[in-house]
Amino acid sequence: MAGNQTAFHIDAVRFAVGERTLLGPVTLELQRSRVYGLIGHNGSGKSTLIKLMARQQPASAGGITFARRPLVQWGARELARALAYLPQTTPAATGLTVRELASLGRYPWHGALGRFGHEDRRHVDEALVLTDMADFGDRLVDELSGGERQRAWLAMLVAQNAGVMLLDEPISALDIAHQVEVLGLVRELSRKRDLCVVVVLHDPNMAARYCDELIALKEGRLLTRGTPDEIMQGDVLKGIFGVEMGVFAHPVTGQPIGYVQ
């Protein structure tokens, strides 16, 4: 994607199961070096959209272009080198240390029978440092706290060295301290590595604090998109979530904070 700032072009994408349309049609363009927050009520289509972008399921209609090529034309390993995806529920990492889990991010680069070389080790070491997990390398993933475990999975994605990260509700099971920790890390990685990050979030205040742009879905359709200041308005939030909401400025940062009236 070098020299081109467009990461995704989503053109009238639709996803249906039988006669029921779960998403679409949705049209979006997403750029590099930005963190996008997908917000909306449960069942609005957020996870469906991110799965389509990660090619975890095929669209029923429309098309997705990734780095100016149709997503369906990417080879599996080639796509894994360019795009990292963290699902809502991560698979079991039983018996794996943090370093071993992070090393799995190098799989697209050397393959099952390929040699794990100096370059791979460099990327893993760097990923552990960037995610603040260097001191946890020999710890078993299963023994970590929720926030530490999520950072270990993020280390795997960072080691993958992809230009795009798609994260489906990465903070849903975390306490507030770990939510702040993980989203702060995601934003920092976007800045340091010129990443396009798309993250599904439930809390509009967290989304407004850590994302450059918010994209709101409702009943499978794109309702609105804009900067945090544009979206964090009482009438806009009511349209998204269906409840009366007010907004006030944070007393220190001045950032907009929404609340239910």
Side-chain angles (χ1 to χ4, degrees):
M1 284 183 277
N4 176 38
Q5 287 301 304
T6 300
F8 283 97
H9 180 70
I10 300 166
D11 184 19
V13 158
R14 178 175 169 271
F15 182 77
V17 177
E19 297 297 316
R20 185 182 173 210
T21 297
L22 301 180
L23 181 76
V26 169
T27 296
L28 281 171
E29 189 163 296
L30 305 178
Q31 306 296 320
R32 292 286 298 272
S33 303
R34 292 183 70 76
V35 179
Y36 296 93
L38 280 180
I39 62 173
H41 57 75
N42 286 341
S44 61
K46 305 184 300 296
S47 290
T48 299
L49 177 57
I50 211 166
K51 286 176 183 175
L52 294 178
M53 294 168 64
R55 212 170 71 179
Q56 296 296 301
Q57 55 194 24
S60 302
I64 299 177
T65 300
F66 175 50
R68 297 207 281 192
R69 285 172 51 194
L71 186 61
V72 295
Q73 293 183 5
W74 285 74
R77 180 179 293 184
E78 182 187 26
L79 184 62
R81 290 178 174 181
L83 186 154
Y85 167 64
L86 189 66
Q88 195 173 127
T89 303
T90 53
T94 307
L96 288 178
T97 66
V98 170
R99 177 172 290 277
E100 288 168 341
L101 177 62
S103 297
L104 292 178
R106 300 304 301 162
Y107 179 84
W109 297 92
H110 63 77
L113 301 177
R115 185 177 177 183
F116 194 89
H118 172 75
E119 187 73 2
D120 296 306
R121 282 189 288 274
R122 184 181 69 80
H123 279 288
V124 170
D125 288 342
E126 183 181 37
L128 293 176
V129 170
L130 284 172
T131 55
D132 199 23
M133 293 300 285
D135 293 336
F136 293 79
D138 296 327
R139 292 272 302 277
L140 290 173
V141 176
D142 288 346
E143 296 177 351
L144 301 177
S145 69
E148 292 164 351
R149 192 178 305 118
Q150 202 70 331
R151 289 211 316 269
W153 281 101
L154 285 172
M156 186 192 77
L157 267 62
V158 174
Q160 197 171 329
N161 199 34
V164 170
M165 278 189 183
L166 305 178
L167 310 174
D168 194 354
E169 297 191 30
I171 64 170
S172 61
L174 304 182
D175 59 36
I176 292 177
H178 287 125
Q179 289 180 20
V180 169
E181 185 179 83
V182 167
L183 289 180
L185 169 63
V186 166
R187 185 172 64 179
E188 183 181 359
L189 289 172
S190 173
R191 302 293 188 265
K192 285 184 175 179
R193 293 199 157 192
D194 191 31
L195 303 182
C196 170
V197 178
V198 184
V199 53
V200 174
L201 295 168
H202 277 297
D203 185 345
N205 290 319
M206 283 293 189
R209 179 173 177 178
Y210 291 102
C211 299
D212 299 302
E213 187 171 345
L214 306 186
I215 299 169
L217 299 181
K218 187 171 186 178
E219 297 176 352
R221 299 294 187 98
L222 174 63
L223 182 64
T224 188
R225 65 182 294 182
T227 65
D229 284 340
E230 291 168 337
I231 299 300
M232 297 299 286
Q233 305 284 338
D235 56 339
V236 178
L237 292 173
K238 180 182 177 182
I240 297 169
F241 296 104
V243 293
E244 293 288 344
M245 294 188 70
V247 178
F248 65 92
H250 189 285
V252 176
T253 66
Q255 290 179 314
I257 297 175
Y259 62 94
V260 177
Q261 291 184 333

